[in-house]
Amino acid sequence: MSLLDIRNVSKIYGELKALDNVSIRVDQGEWVAIMGPSGSGKSTMMNIIGCMDKPTKGQVFLDGIDIAKESSRRLTDIRRDKIGLIFQQFHMVNYLTAVENVMVSQYYHSMPDEAEALEALERVGVRERARHLPSQLSGGEQQRVCVARALINHPELILADEPTGNLDETNENIVLDLFRQLHREGTTLIVVTHDPEVAEAAQRTIVLEHGRLVREVVNEHFVE
Amino acid sequence: MTPRKLPMRNILRHPGRTASLTVLVAFLALSLFSGSVIVMSLMSGLRSLENRLGADLIVVPATSRGKIDPEKIYLQGTTGYYYMSASKLDEVRAMEGVVQASGQVFLASLRADCCSMPIQVIGFDPATDFTIRPWIGERMKTDLGKMEVAAGSRVNAGVNETIRIYGQPCLVAARLDESGTGLDTAVYCTMETMAELLSAAREMNHELKIDGDPAGVVSAIYVKTHPGEADRLAGEIRQTRSPKVTVIQTRTVTSDVERSLGGVSHTIAVLIICVWLLDLVLLTAAFLLLGGERRREFAVLRSLGMSRRDLAYLALKEAALISFFGGMNGIFLGLLILLPFSGLIEQALGLPYLRPGWPTMLALCAASLAAVCAAGPGAALLSARKLSRADIGTIMREGT
């Protein structure tokens, strides 16, 4: 059963076609990488899937809801309830501690639960840094807090934009291991990346160029 | 941890930013509050001066102009004395168009051992006076007795204390309400007491330039005229001789003050408007810059599910907290400057200055606070509106 069904989606800015008639299906529990050079349309795709933008044409079904037709307020609700976002820049709220950053996400979804937030930090290996401010954490630690924040509400889809782009190899492996663990637990993952090694960790890679889907590659060496 | 706590958390964890904004808001509140208090004090001072002068004409010996400007006694509390024969009072009183006329005698005490302090002493005739008695009557039921004085609000002597004037002990029987004029620095006594003081001054070789009996002189004659008769009577009195006199039309004094006041009030009002505009521009720019700096934070919160309304609430609450705190500080600073230094302000302006009563002061505090509490969040709302419409995805990828 597909969690995400993108049908003939285009996004046009004036003369520029950022996305041109793209169709993609992502099944529940699948791990998909979206690759492409700069200007290929992967960020636009990420924005649309992440309910941060709407397509000019086409339909985008997320868990059966056509998000292309929803209001901006409703898109905020869908993003909050169904999607966990991870970005290349770690994007923590700089005046909140690690655990408070996770709890803010809980608040907008349901209600804050510190014990659960600490568990999520434990899971990503930064439990002992829970009371530290972002400025007191390394890049890898911040990204792991962001992963914990994305996971805390048990989203149906984890959408990550260059999640390892600012990390060293050790931290990159930690984050990819976390993704593997999430995948094993049945979480659907879409990872936008330009790094072939990160793409190879996924089950399937979709390649965009000039706003068009140019090929799909199934990773035969995918390790569960 | 809930988003309701975010504004306070942000304020406390960014002390430098919070302090800069607080100072800006405090300056806004200070300028508005103190400017308003000064303008209101000048207006109250003018009204008070009109009430205290109470006469249409004041007749003084012509020579007094050269030695000391009588207007300065009323406006700035400068001490001075000059005398003419009391027969002038009878002459004026007999003129057609005069409703009431009463004499006053001035004496300046010295900065010397014989006197507690250098002050202006004004003697009046309780039987005919219509300017000082009503003022004293607000504080004292009975008339002043012999060697009793009523002290102006800025004379440093309390009720039942004794002050010495030319070696004569005078009991302070009452303290008068503040008038905001030079009259606050004087003490008032009956003609009977004044005659004693003049004699004592003369015995101590103080040069008074009085020929004959001190009881037979006046320094100024206060005249109330029939409506519309002031100009004619002023001209008629000026024509009289022995001695030659100067006639001050109080309407002219108050008009001059009103004109100066208009100029000062206008300048202060323009300054307040300029400071406000400048501060509002700075405040708006500060909140917009701050908003720019916090784009990523707001985008993160929006990506986590914060609604535009919640974002506006966050920005408004922060701005309201800073505005309230800054506003309170600004007003407190205004009170610290205005309350102890009102005398200096009056001296600097050279105009009657009567600070409004506490109910009005409290109303001005509340109005100034309300104004800054509206300005800060108003500026923040502009920033929040702009940010709530920004593209979250683009901001998150900017890494700014």
Side-chain angles (χ1 to χ4, degrees):
Chain A
M1 182 191 163
S2 66
L3 175 68
L4 179 71
D5 188 359
I6 297 171
R7 296 180 191 169
N8 309 111
V9 160
S10 296
K11 181 71 185 180
I12 301 162
Y13 298 104
E15 298 288 302
L16 176 76
K17 279 189 174 177
L19 286 176
D20 187 5
N21 205 30
V22 176
S23 296
I24 300 171
R25 281 180 65 138
V26 177
D27 288 339
Q28 193 100 42
E30 197 178 4
W31 181 355
V32 174
I34 299 177
M35 280 195 80
S38 291
S40 60
K42 40 181 209 305
S43 294
T44 308
M45 179 63 82
M46 159 113 187
N47 278 357
I48 290 171
I49 299 169
C51 297
M52 292 178 282
D53 200 357
K54 287 194 210 181
T56 312
K57 276 193 277 187
Q59 293 171 301
V60 182
F61 290 95
L62 178 64
D63 204 18
I65 303 163
D66 185 359
I67 57 177
K69 288 181 181 166
E70 296 295 342
S71 67
S72 120
R73 179 180 283 192
R74 179 85 181 106
L75 286 178
T76 302
D77 293 342
I78 295 169
R79 182 169 66 240
R80 184 185 61 208
D81 295 339
K82 295 187 183 296
I83 303 169
L85 288 165
I86 300 166
F87 290 89
Q88 178 177 0
Q89 306 292 336
F90 316 122
H91 295 315
M92 288 173 70
V93 179
N94 64 6
Y95 53 87
L96 297 181
T97 61
V99 70
E100 286 169 345
N101 264 278
V102 178
M103 287 167 73
V104 167
S105 182
Q106 285 179 308
Y107 173 87
Y108 287 117
H109 183 265
S110 48
M111 63 187 299
D113 178 345
E114 189 170 348
E116 199 185 348
L118 288 170
E119 254 177 56
L121 290 176
E122 174 93 60
R123 189 173 173 192
V124 297
V126 287
R127 168 70 180 78
E128 73 285 1
R129 311 289 277 164
R131 308 290 171 195
H132 288 71
L133 290 168
S135 56
Q136 298 165 322
L137 301 175
S138 70
E141 285 170 333
Q142 287 190 54
Q143 190 63 304
R144 279 187 271 163
V145 174
C146 289
V147 173
R149 189 174 66 188
L151 302 178
I152 191 72
N153 298 321
H154 310 288
E156 292 178 47
L157 172 65
I158 293 274
L159 188 57
D161 184 11
E162 302 283 5
T164 58
N166 275 349
L167 301 181
D168 58 23
E169 200 178 335
T170 312
N171 278 302
E172 179 179 312
N173 288 331
I174 292 170
V175 170
L176 287 178
D177 281 344
L178 280 169
F179 284 177
R180 283 188 191 101
Q181 200 182 330
L182 288 170
H183 173 66
R184 277 198 296 275
E185 289 165 5
T187 308
T188 309
L189 289 152
I190 297 178
V191 179
V192 176
T193 183
H194 68 274
D195 183 344
E197 279 186 40
V198 175
E200 274 171 22
Q203 283 174 298
R204 181 160 60 105
T205 302
I206 290 162
V207 182
L208 296 176
E209 271 177 29
H210 304 297
R212 292 187 175 179
L213 195 160
V214 290
R215 68 180 175 275
E216 281 190 61
V217 181
V218 175
N219 181 6
E220 289 170 1
H221 309 292
F222 177 72
V223 182
E224 222 15 281
Chain B
M1 173 62 226
T2 67
R4 290 204 171 272
K5 293 180 184 165
L6 288 179
M8 189 50 94
R9 195 63 69 88
N10 182 35
I11 285 170
L12 295 176
R13 293 232 169 116
H14 292 100
R17 189 166 76 187
T18 303
S20 311
L21 283 171
T22 305
V23 167
L24 202 60
V25 175
F27 190 62
L28 188 71
L30 172 69
S31 62
L32 181 69
F33 176 67
S34 41
S36 309
V37 170
I38 290 171
V39 169
M40 285 196 81
S41 300
L42 289 171
M43 286 171 175
S44 306
L46 175 68
R47 275 195 299 275
S48 171
L49 179 69
E50 283 170 346
N51 291 338
R52 292 281 78 90
L53 287 178
D56 300 308
L57 305 174
I58 302 171
V59 182
V60 294
T63 49
S64 67
R65 276 272 179 194
K67 285 198 289 187
I68 180 99
D69 185 351
E71 288 171 23
K72 284 192 172 175
I73 292 175
Y74 308 122
L75 298 181
Q76 292 167 24
T78 313
T79 56
Y81 53 92
Y82 34 80
Y83 305 99
M84 59 187 165
S85 167
S87 61
K88 198 73 186 178
L89 173 61
D90 299 328
E91 194 182 337
V92 170
R93 197 174 274 152
M95 286 179 165
E96 200 180 325
V98 172
V99 177
Q100 273 178 293
S102 184
Q104 288 183 6
V105 179
F106 299 164
L107 176 66
S109 70
L110 302 176
R111 191 184 295 276
D113 288 347
C114 64
C115 304
S116 302
M117 62 198 88
I119 42 171
Q120 180 78 6
V121 187
I122 298 176
F124 65 96
D125 178 5
T128 57
D129 177 79
F130 54 95
T131 58
I132 295 171
R133 269 190 88 199
W135 191 17
I136 294 177
E138 290 166 16
R139 285 282 162 189
M140 206 178 156
K141 294 281 176 241
T142 55
D143 281 336
L144 286 171
K146 192 172 179 186
M147 301 316 283
E148 282 185 347
V149 294
S153 64
R154 270 184 271 162
V155 174
N156 191 21
V159 175
N160 291 330
E161 279 182 29
T162 302
I163 56 173
R164 277 181 315 114
I165 303 169
Y166 292 104
Q168 300 297 304
C170 298
L171 180 74
V172 178
R175 274 180 70 85
L176 302 175
D177 288 334
E178 191 180 4
S179 72
T181 67
L183 300 172
D184 292 333
T185 57
V187 297
Y188 302 85
C189 61
T190 62
M191 288 296 196
E192 194 183 8
T193 306
M194 179 53 91
E196 294 281 333
L197 296 177
L198 286 172
S199 297
R202 213 149 62 162
E203 277 169 27
M204 296 180 82
N205 298 322
H206 183 53
E207 183 57 61
L208 293 172
K209 290 186 179 167
I210 299 176
D211 300 326
D213 182 8
V217 295
V218 288
S219 300
I221 301 166
Y222 282 65
V223 183
K224 187 175 269 182
T225 68
H226 282 298
E229 294 279 345
D231 290 345
R232 183 190 62 76
L233 261 170
E236 201 174 311
I237 296 168
R238 275 188 202 107
Q239 299 303 314
T240 62
R241 292 279 184 267
S242 319
K244 201 170 179 322
V245 291
T246 299
V247 181
I248 301 166
Q249 288 186 265
T250 53
R251 200 184 56 211
T252 316
V253 176
T254 53
S255 305
D256 286 350
V257 171
E258 206 162 5
R259 223 179 349 267
S260 309
L261 190 85
V264 173
S265 302
H266 181 74
T267 309
I268 292 172
V270 169
L271 275 175
I272 292 175
I273 291 169
C274 289
V275 169
W276 256 78
L277 283 176
L278 184 70
D279 252 24
L280 271 181
V281 169
L282 284 174
L283 207 57
T284 309
F287 276 110
L288 281 174
L289 280 172
L290 194 60
E293 192 193 307
R294 298 178 66 191
R295 292 173 80 216
R296 198 173 73 164
E297 174 201 329
F298 286 138
V300 172
L301 292 170
R302 292 269 293 128
S303 77
L304 295 177
M306 177 190 249
S307 64
R308 284 178 175 161
R309 201 174 149 184
D310 287 343
L311 191 148
Y313 168 81
L314 176 69
L316 278 180
K317 189 170 175 185
E318 272 182 27
L321 284 169
I322 289 172
S323 300
F324 181 77
F325 188 66
M328 291 291 280
N329 275 295
I331 290 166
F332 182 67
L333 189 63
L335 287 170
L336 276 184
I337 295 169
L338 293 171
L339 295 186
F341 299 114
S342 58
L344 279 178
I345 297 170
E346 182 183 342
Q347 263 183 3
L349 296 172
L351 290 168
Y353 182 92
L354 183 59
R355 192 170 49 70
W358 277 109
T360 311
M361 287 291 277
L362 288 176
L364 282 175
C365 288
S368 306
L369 190 61
V372 291
C373 283
L381 200 58
L382 276 177
S383 169
R385 195 178 154 84
K386 197 177 158 194
L387 282 169
S388 71
R389 292 178 177 192
D391 177 36
I392 304 169
T394 308
I395 297 171
M396 300 289 263
R397 272 190 303 277
E398 278 171 1
T400 51

